[in-house]
Amino acid sequence: MTISRREMLQRTAAAAAAAAAAAASLPPANVVPSPGSQAPKPKFFTAAEFALVDEMSDMIIPTDQQSAGARAAGVAIYIDGRLAEAFEKDEPQRWRAGIAAVEALSREMHHTTFMASTPEQRLALLTRIAAAESDPKTDAEKFFKQIKGGTIRAYYTSKIGIHDDQQYKGNVIQPGEYAGYDAT
């Protein structure tokens, strides 16, 4: 089957238009609900899993004087959306297994779930699993590396992470002497 150049361009334009229309119907990656609005319903996580990921990510990158933290940046929403769209099914299952391991450790350490424990107990659990970051042995310790990496990736691709925290101003002229290579 041969097609003309004109027909190929028409089909390509139609496919691009269809893809753009589909993408326009999706929310942006880091959708942060405005104050007073309800948080979006998780696409992959259960409500309890989402709450745990949201809390742990906010403990990893909390709000400080320079910028808002992971919760304000919509990190858990971003991670949830990426896992809901994952092609490989082992990645979402690793997140679920990691969350279950954290819950089991919380029950072992504090006789309650992670979210039902006090802020001090949550910090103690996070400190314990973070201490083994360089050589994780347990599933909870391995999950810490996973959630830390996911939190950092999501945070620093958000407006808050890029513009507020990193103070990136975009492609602007940098005044002063240029320290680059002079090709002349």
Side-chain angles (χ1 to χ4, degrees):
M1 171 182 175
T2 60
I3 65 170
S4 69
R5 181 174 175 268
R6 178 182 305 267
E7 194 175 2
M8 181 188 68
L9 289 172
Q10 287 173 335
R11 288 182 185 183
T12 302
S25 68
L26 296 173
N30 285 5
V31 176
V32 181
S34 60
S37 69
Q38 282 192 332
K41 184 178 178 205
K43 297 176 183 177
F44 170 75
F45 292 125
T46 65
E49 291 169 337
F50 184 85
L52 184 143
V53 169
D54 188 48
E55 180 65 19
M56 284 186 81
S57 65
D58 203 56
M59 291 173 74
I60 292 168
I61 302 180
T63 298
D64 61 16
Q65 303 87 317
Q66 186 167 327
S67 65
R71 182 173 290 128
V75 166
I77 298 164
Y78 180 86
I79 292 170
D80 179 65
R82 298 302 66 89
L83 292 173
E85 299 168 356
F87 290 114
E88 297 174 9
K89 295 303 172 200
D90 59 329
E91 180 71 11
Q93 295 315 314
R94 280 197 302 268
W95 277 83
R96 284 234 157 92
I99 291 168
V102 167
E103 289 290 22
L105 181 59
S106 181
R107 283 188 179 88
E108 176 188 315
M109 289 175 66
H110 310 296
H111 308 290
T112 188
T113 65
F114 183 80
M115 292 305 295
S117 60
T118 66
E120 294 78 19
Q121 291 171 328
R122 291 179 196 165
L123 182 60
L125 186 146
L126 191 66
T127 302
R128 177 174 167 178
I129 62 177
E133 181 180 9
S134 62
D135 187 27
K137 304 246 186 305
T138 69
D139 289 340
E141 292 167 349
K142 292 173 186 171
F143 180 68
F144 175 76
K145 285 185 76 165
Q146 188 173 11
I147 194 168
K148 180 182 174 186
T151 297
I152 291 168
R153 211 170 7 265
Y155 182 77
Y156 289 108
T157 58
S158 73
K159 180 184 180 303
I160 290 172
I162 294 171
H163 295 287
D164 297 348
D165 191 318
Q166 296 296 300
Q167 299 175 353
Y168 177 69
K169 293 174 182 43
N171 295 332
V172 296
I173 295 174
Q174 300 296 319
E177 180 141 348
Y178 179 66
Y181 178 73
D182 187 6
T184 57

